[in-house]
Amino acid sequence: MTPKSSALPMPSAIQQKRKRFVVRSVSPAVVTAGIGVLALVCIGLYLFLGLDSNAAYVLPRRANRVFTMVLVAFCVGVSTVLFQTVTSNRILTPSIMGFDSLFMLIQTVLIFAIGTVGRTQLGTYPLFLLELGLMVVFAAIMYRWLFTGSGLSLHLVLLIGIVFGTLFRGISSLLQRLLDPSEFMVLQDSMFASFTGVDLGLLQISVLIIAVATVPLVVMRRRFDVLSLGRDTSISLGINHTRTVTTVLIVCSVFVGVCTALVGPITFFGLIVANLAYALCRTFRHAWILPISVLLGVVALVGGQLILERVFAFDTALSIVIEFCGGLLFLFLLLRGSIK
């Protein structure tokens, strides 16, 4: 008897299975190594491309920018992935919850209250520490609501964060309309992230803060995969869920606060690198997701800044391109509705 035709797989189906097998056969180690090489190439091109006789003057300034972008990529990549792990949601990020809006509110209130002259007299370091402290305190208070009282869930706290972000933007918009045009021009420079002209002292302080905040993450690194399984499962496996999640969220707020106070707001950058890391890695192990997201951030920032300087000759800001691409990705994820 001849076999039924339905028992024979179609050629297209075989090709699709082979394609899926080829994609999934790439190990996370290979993906990490490939992106790492690409990041090193971008850094090398940015540092040494177009150097002339003024290399002694240009190279240290380029190195300062590269180090700033690497630090921002580390902060945003790690904080976004861990934040999405504890919230079980791959759309929300700390910046989307209102941290960038709080940063702009702080800047606006300072100029509105004491003016540009008073803001200058306040000093760079006190202003940086004030912005960082206010953002971390805001996060600590908001997260405390999650674990005090019965019936509060993490999703409710996320909703509160989004509402706060809208409130902060509304207050900032109102105060900006009351500012003097010259003061508004000074404030406008803070609305977009800039990786040029970062103070070396601020960069050193940021590195110290990030190094201290990274210590608890290193200690808890083996718990991240368990946290991604959900609250009930992680508790049944012996994880102190409340303490661990609280620590992770506070560290994430410190990371986001540092990079926002250092270079300015980048709302959708974390959304881009985190979702690309999940798409390329095809695993939920944080031992691979975290380094891949950081390396993707380095490639995006350094490579984007290289293209911006060499191709567009500083005709636009890198943060504008990132916000445009990230906004499109955010709308796509919302309309897709398959990421919970």
Side-chain angles (χ1 to χ4, degrees):
M1 297 179 61
T2 59
K4 295 183 180 179
S5 59
S6 59
L8 297 176
M10 298 297 293
S12 59
I14 297 176
Q15 293 177 0
Q16 291 177 359
K17 290 183 178 180
R18 288 180 178 177
K19 290 180 180 180
R20 289 198 297 267
F21 175 78
V22 172
V23 173
R24 294 180 180 179
S25 63
V26 179
S27 65
V30 175
V31 175
T32 305
I35 301 175
V37 171
L38 181 59
L40 291 177
V41 170
C42 292
I43 292 175
L45 289 176
Y46 185 83
L47 288 176
F48 302 108
L49 186 63
L51 281 179
D52 50 14
S53 58
N54 295 325
Y57 174 81
V58 175
L59 189 59
R61 284 157 179 79
R62 290 187 179 181
N64 188 19
R65 296 176 189 175
V66 168
F67 194 81
T68 302
M69 288 185 281
V70 171
L71 181 65
V72 171
F74 175 80
C75 292
V76 174
V78 172
S79 62
T80 302
V81 171
L82 294 182
F83 186 85
Q84 292 178 349
T85 297
V86 298
T87 59
S88 301
N89 194 311
R90 285 171 55 187
I91 294 180
L92 292 174
T93 66
S95 296
I96 294 177
M97 283 184 58
F99 282 94
D100 293 346
S101 302
L102 178 62
F103 171 78
M104 285 309 306
L105 178 62
I106 296 171
Q107 298 286 336
T108 305
V109 169
L110 283 175
I111 294 182
F112 183 82
I114 62 178
T116 55
V117 177
R119 182 174 178 268
T120 304
Q121 293 177 349
L122 184 61
T124 304
Y125 302 130
L127 180 62
F128 175 80
L129 295 176
L130 175 63
E131 295 168 353
L132 176 60
L134 288 176
M135 284 186 283
V136 173
V137 169
F138 164 74
I141 294 175
M142 186 175 62
Y143 295 147
R144 187 173 181 271
W145 291 3
L146 175 62
F147 305 109
T148 57
S150 58
L152 290 180
S153 65
L154 186 58
H155 299 86
L156 179 58
V157 175
L158 297 178
L159 178 60
I160 293 173
I162 296 174
V163 172
F164 271 124
T166 305
L167 175 63
F168 294 156
R169 285 191 293 269
I171 298 176
S172 300
S173 179
L174 174 62
L175 296 179
Q176 289 168 12
R177 295 177 184 272
L178 301 176
L179 289 176
D180 184 82
S182 60
E183 294 179 340
F184 180 76
M185 291 295 295
V186 176
L187 177 64
Q188 197 173 23
D189 294 336
S190 304
M191 295 181 179
F192 304 100
S194 176
F195 301 95
T196 60
V198 177
D199 186 84
L200 183 59
L202 288 182
L203 188 58
Q204 294 174 349
I205 295 175
S206 301
V207 171
L208 179 61
I209 295 174
I210 294 303
V212 174
T214 306
V215 173
L217 296 184
V218 175
V219 174
M220 298 185 302
R221 65 187 184 278
R222 301 184 185 277
R223 308 178 192 176
F224 298 150
D225 294 339
V226 181
L227 287 178
S228 62
L229 300 177
R231 179 185 178 90
D232 296 335
T233 305
S234 60
I235 292 176
S236 64
L237 293 175
I239 298 295
N240 190 331
H241 188 271
T242 299
R243 181 184 302 174
T244 305
V245 170
T246 302
T247 304
V248 170
L249 291 175
I250 296 301
V251 172
C252 289
S253 66
V254 173
F255 278 17
V256 177
V258 166
C259 68
T260 304
L262 185 64
V263 301
I266 312 178
T267 305
F268 294 107
F269 180 60
L271 182 73
I272 296 175
V273 296
N275 283 277
L276 284 179
Y278 281 113
L280 292 176
C281 189
R282 295 182 177 273
T283 181
F284 291 96
R285 293 187 60 189
H286 289 77
W288 300 112
I289 293 294
L290 290 175
I292 289 177
S293 63
V294 173
L295 291 174
L296 285 174
V298 174
V299 172
L301 292 180
V302 180
Q305 190 70 24
L306 178 65
I307 296 175
L308 176 66
E309 295 182 7
R310 298 297 172 179
V311 178
F312 297 102
F314 293 100
D315 287 338
T316 185
L318 178 61
S319 60
I320 297 177
V321 180
I322 293 175
E323 297 301 318
F324 176 75
C325 298
L328 292 179
L329 177 62
F330 182 69
L331 292 176
F332 169 75
L333 295 177
L334 287 178
L335 294 176
R336 184 181 178 183
S338 59
I339 299 179
K340 303 299 183 181

